[in-house]
């Protein structure tokens, strides 16, 4: 395989490769090349250039138990039963619960909502909580983004006379929970079509359940008398937020959800989302990046360091003033979360250095706030290029943790296997993320188990590491119009990486340190064209030092993403540099 730009070893010690086999071609447009490089078949380009729900939505009936779930929900709607929605405290759980709540409201039903407290109750439904819902009059509960492994809790619910529909997406075992319906694309007995959607977030599955419910009610004649039929598509803004925030792979249906959901969000019809955008100081229509880095973290902050139900309350709010107050509280909690996260990250990094060569970087300490361990695990994964798990221990020594994985390593399955082996009190997740609870003294046996199980997968995944590029450009090609062209193959996110290009050969001029350790400069080509670039937080890294010491007479290739520099109202293009190599 030929190296991109003939770079065999960059400043960061890695080869550069073309993302698409065969490199760049002149037969296809840049947008089509980006789509092809992300796995789109040549004969399917039309559908992927502008992904729509119509083109990507599967028939909900293809999923096991979906029709049963829709029929039971329809019965509850028609009978006027009290329905409870049991969600999770993260963004995916909040958006899933909000979506079904808003849909049921439009059908004349006001459901009960229950979001467990992260610190006091932990993840997923408990028998105590479900029985309490039954005591309050609920006859049907729908668990969203949880329930796949809640065997004891659902047994208790059944004994109390509460029927439960499980709508989840987490890893499953051969055993199914006792439920009126168990909807999960990751069921081991799922159909081929259902299993192909195993990457869909819980909010996406809730959307499919909503589609199935409306279809079932339509079949029963619910809307023939002029009763307004709810438009499920109007809820795609919530679906987009949950999908991006849960780091679900943005391929096929998920990409359509986000593409169309951003259009709905731009209309600001959901007053809670509009208030949150204002609190996040977003002056333009939110982008995919805003969902992941501005709106999602604020929703999450409620469950991490505040009140677990703040997110779903915001997304279902009907009073603008209430929405504004909740959004401001979430914004404040997000600032508090950042401070806690930084303290835990600093301590975790010191400990992680001792395990940096392990297949799985696992760190633990008493007192670490369990509301931020998932974020810190992401930081460790990025720093060490390996799966990472961060565990906070309580006063009794019991640990609750969260893990994040790298491509090609199924962490959720490994955690589920550890649970089945008796090493965990609780645990589960999906390929890229997992949660767990470990008994006092159980961390070292867990470390040994995960390192042994995942060593080969991690070595294989890391062995093929290289900087992947989509195109090589002359310095004069880095301009604002290029940003618009690159956006044509978006939205980008997990599993659908942002385009990375190389620009050069160029001389590096006016190189210096700005802000909090950022290295900035100008790259000038021999044709007189130039562009601005910045390498964030790199001043004390090998990349930053190489750029700072570069001779103005030398020629360099710079690799990274091309973005609009909108600081202080500007719109010129600049490169965010990730690597560099002398020509």
């Amino acid at each position: 395989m030929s190296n991109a730009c003939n770079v065999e070893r960059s400043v960061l010690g890695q080869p550069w490769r073309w993302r698409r086999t065969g490199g760049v071609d002149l037969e296809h447009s840049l947008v089509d090349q980006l789509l092809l490089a992300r796995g789109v078949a040549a004969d399917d380009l039309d559908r992927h250039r502008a992904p729509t729900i119509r083109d990507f939505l599967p028939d909900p009936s293809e999923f096991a138990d979906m029709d049963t779930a829709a029929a039971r929900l329809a019965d509850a709607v028609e009978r006027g039963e009290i329905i409870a929605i049991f969600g999770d405290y993260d963004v995916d759980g909040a958006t899933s619960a909000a979506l079904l709540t808003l849909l049921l409201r439009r059908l004349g039903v006001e459901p009960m909502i229950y979001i467990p407290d992260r610190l006091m109750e932990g993840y997923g439904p408990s028998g105590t909580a479900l029985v309490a819902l039954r005591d309050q009059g609920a006859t049907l509960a729908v668990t969203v983004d949880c329930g796949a492994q809640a065997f004891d809790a659902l047994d208790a619910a059944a004994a109390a006379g509460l029927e439960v529909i499980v709508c989840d997406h987490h890893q499953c075992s051969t055993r199914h929970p006792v439920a009126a319906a168990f909807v999960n694309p990751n069921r081991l007995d799922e159909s081929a079509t259902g299993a192909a959607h195993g990457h869909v977030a819980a909010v996406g599955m809730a959307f499919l359940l909503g589609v199935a419910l409306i279809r079932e009610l339509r079949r029963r004649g619910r809307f023939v008398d002029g009763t307004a039929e709810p438009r499920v598509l109007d809820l795609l803004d919530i679906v987009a937020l949950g999908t991006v925030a849960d780091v679900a792979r943005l391929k096929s249906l998920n990409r359509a959800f986000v593409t169309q959901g951003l259009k709905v969000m731009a209309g600001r019809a959901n007053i809670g989302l509009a208030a949150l955008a204002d609190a996040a100081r977003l002056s333009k229509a939110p982008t995919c990046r805003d969902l992941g880095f501005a709106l999602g973290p604020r929703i999450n902050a409620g469950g991490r360091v505040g009140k677990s139900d703040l997110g779903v309350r915001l997304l279902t709010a009907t009073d603008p003033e209430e929405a504004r107050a909740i959004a401001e509280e979430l914004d404040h909690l997000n600032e508090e979360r950042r401070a806690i996260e930084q303290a835990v990250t600093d301590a975790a990094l010191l400990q992680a250095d001792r395990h940096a060569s392990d297949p799985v970087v696992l760190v633990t300490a008493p007192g670490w706030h369990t509301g931020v361990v998932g974020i810190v695990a992401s930081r460790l994964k990025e720093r060490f290029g390996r799966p990472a798990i961060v565990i906070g221990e309580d006063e009794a020594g019991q640990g609750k943790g969260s893990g994040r994985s790298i491509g090609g390593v199924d962490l959720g399955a490994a955690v589920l296997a550890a649970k089945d082996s008796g090493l965990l009190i609780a645990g589960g997740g999906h390929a890229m993320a997992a949660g767990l609870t470990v008994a006092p003294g159980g961390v070292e046996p867990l470390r040994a188990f995960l390192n042994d199980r995942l060593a080969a997968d991690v070595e294989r995944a890391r062995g093929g590491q290289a900087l992947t590029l989509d195109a090589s450009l002359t310095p004069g090609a880095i301009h604002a119009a290029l940003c618009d062209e690159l956006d044509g193959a978006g939205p980008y996110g997990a599993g659908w990486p942002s385009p990375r290009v190389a620009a050069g050969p160029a001389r590096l001029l006016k190189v210096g340190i700005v802000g909090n350790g950022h290295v900035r400069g100008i790259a000038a080509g021999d044709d007189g064209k130039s562009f601005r670039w910045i390498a964030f937080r790199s001043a004390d890294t090998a990349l930053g030092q190489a750029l700072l010491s570069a001779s103005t007479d030398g020629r360099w290739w710079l690799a990274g993403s091309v973005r609009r520099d909108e600081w202080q109202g500007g719109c010129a293009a600049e490169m965010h540099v990730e690597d560099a190599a002398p020509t």
Side-chain angles (χ1 to χ4, degrees):
M1 179 185 296
S2 61
N3 292 319
C5 305
N6 295 317
V7 175
E8 296 182 6
R9 186 176 178 82
S10 69
V11 165
L12 296 182
Q14 60 188 340
W16 291 2
R17 308 287 192 200
W18 297 118
R19 193 184 305 277
R20 184 183 175 204
T21 302
V24 179
D25 67 59
L26 300 177
E27 179 183 349
H28 296 92
S29 68
L30 178 57
V31 168
D32 283 355
Q33 289 187 57
L34 295 173
L35 295 174
L36 291 166
R38 283 150 184 76
V40 176
D43 59 0
D44 202 20
L45 286 169
D46 286 344
R47 190 167 68 123
H48 285 80
R49 290 190 191 102
T52 63
I53 302 299
R54 179 187 297 275
D55 284 342
F56 284 94
L57 191 73
D59 182 348
S61 296
E62 292 281 353
F63 294 86
D65 272 10
M66 183 67 83
D67 288 343
T68 302
R72 181 63 186 90
L73 257 180
D75 289 343
V77 169
E78 291 188 328
R79 297 170 185 165
E81 296 181 49
I82 296 178
I83 302 171
I85 308 297
F86 193 109
D88 187 24
Y89 38 66
D90 68 359
V91 184
D92 197 17
T95 52
S96 301
L99 184 145
L100 290 183
T101 297
L102 292 173
L103 184 60
L104 288 171
R105 279 181 183 172
R106 295 171 190 184
L107 292 168
V109 176
E110 184 63 43
M112 301 166 60
I113 303 173
Y114 191 96
I115 306 294
D117 182 273
R118 178 189 290 264
L119 300 179
M120 301 301 296
E121 298 176 81
Y123 168 77
S126 67
T128 301
L130 291 175
V131 171
L133 291 173
R134 179 68 186 93
D135 291 342
Q136 295 171 46
T139 53
L140 176 67
V142 185
T143 69
V144 287
D145 197 28
C146 58
Q149 299 286 327
F151 304 116
D152 293 343
L154 294 186
D155 286 345
L162 177 67
E163 290 190 84
V164 179
I165 294 171
V166 175
C167 184
D168 200 358
H169 72 136
H170 289 99
Q171 294 280 0
C172 301
S173 62
T174 54
R175 178 185 175 189
H176 290 176
V178 173
F182 178 36
V183 177
N184 187 323
N186 289 303
R187 284 176 52 152
L188 300 183
D189 61 346
E190 185 56 89
S191 68
T193 297
H197 291 82
H199 62 291
V200 170
V203 69
M205 295 308 300
F207 179 87
L208 286 164
L209 177 57
V211 171
L213 171 61
I214 297 302
R215 185 173 63 181
E216 174 64 16
L217 289 172
R218 188 188 307 126
R219 186 188 67 78
R220 297 184 183 190
R222 169 85 175 190
F223 310 112
V224 295
D225 61 354
T227 300
E229 180 175 319
R231 277 179 47 86
V232 188
L233 293 178
D234 290 345
L235 301 173
L236 283 173
D237 49 0
I238 294 177
V239 181
L241 175 58
T243 297
V244 173
D246 206 50
V247 201
R249 286 180 290 157
L250 296 190
K251 68 173 189 176
S252 59
L253 179 59
N254 280 346
R255 191 160 162 262
F257 279 153
V258 176
T259 299
Q260 302 305 320
L262 286 170
K263 295 178 183 178
V264 175
M265 196 177 296
R268 294 172 64 92
N270 185 296
I271 62 173
L273 277 177
L276 193 63
D278 291 341
R281 294 162 288 282
L282 298 180
S283 58
K284 299 180 180 178
T287 64
C288 188
R289 182 176 177 80
D290 293 329
L291 302 189
F293 292 95
L295 302 184
R298 285 170 168 80
I299 293 287
N300 254 336
R304 294 187 188 280
V305 297
K307 304 171 187 174
S308 295
D309 65 346
L310 283 177
V312 70
R313 283 173 52 199
L314 175 72
L315 296 173
T316 59
T318 57
D319 175 47
E321 187 57 31
E322 179 191 16
R324 183 194 61 76
I326 296 175
E328 289 182 355
E329 183 174 1
L330 286 171
D331 187 54
H332 172 75
L333 289 171
N334 191 50
E335 292 300 320
E336 182 180 338
R337 185 270 308 168
R338 286 179 176 175
I340 296 171
E341 174 198 329
Q342 188 59 56
V344 176
T345 297
D346 292 343
L349 283 171
L350 289 175
Q351 187 181 144
D353 284 335
R354 301 196 296 270
H355 302 283
S357 61
D358 288 357
V360 178
V361 178
L362 191 157
V363 296
T364 180
W368 281 354
H369 197 298
T370 56
V372 302
V373 292
I375 305 174
V376 177
S378 294
R379 301 284 184 266
L380 298 186
K381 179 202 74 170
E382 294 166 3
R383 170 70 67 92
F384 298 103
R386 303 168 185 272
I389 295 175
V390 180
I391 299 172
E393 301 171 13
D394 62 19
E395 294 179 354
Q398 179 171 292
K400 290 186 178 181
S402 187
R404 297 294 183 268
S405 194
I406 60 176
V409 181
D410 191 336
L411 184 61
V415 167
L416 188 57
K419 176 190 172 188
D420 292 342
S421 298
L423 295 173
L424 294 174
I425 297 172
H430 47 79
M432 300 301 289
L436 55 87
T437 302
V438 59
V443 168
E444 292 310 316
L446 174 65
R447 186 195 309 277
F449 177 89
L450 293 175
N451 282 336
D452 181 65
R453 178 184 174 93
L454 296 177
D457 290 342
V458 172
E459 183 178 3
R460 190 179 308 111
R462 287 175 55 82
Q465 282 187 345
L467 191 77
T468 52
L469 298 174
D470 289 288
S472 62
L473 306 169
T474 64
I478 307 296
H479 50 69
L482 175 67
C483 299
D484 297 333
E485 192 171 3
L486 294 173
D487 287 345
Y492 301 103
W496 198 267
S498 296
R500 184 186 289 122
V501 303
R507 292 177 296 128
L508 304 186
L509 309 176
K510 297 184 179 179
V511 181
I513 299 175
V514 297
N516 188 23
H518 313 313
V519 178
R520 177 184 285 281
I522 294 174
D526 291 336
D527 58 359
K529 303 291 186 180
S530 63
F531 65 89
R532 293 181 299 175
W533 56 266
I534 184 169
F536 290 106
R537 294 175 295 278
S538 66
D540 59 352
T541 68
L543 174 61
Q545 289 299 306
L547 296 171
L548 287 165
S549 61
S551 166
T552 56
D553 294 329
R555 300 294 187 274
W556 288 75
W557 284 103
L558 299 181
S561 59
V562 180
R563 307 283 177 83
R564 289 185 184 274
D565 178 14
E566 297 180 340
W567 176 250
Q568 294 183 335
C571 65
E574 70 173 8
M575 175 179 279
H576 293 181
V577 175
E578 301 172 42
D579 200 358
T583 59

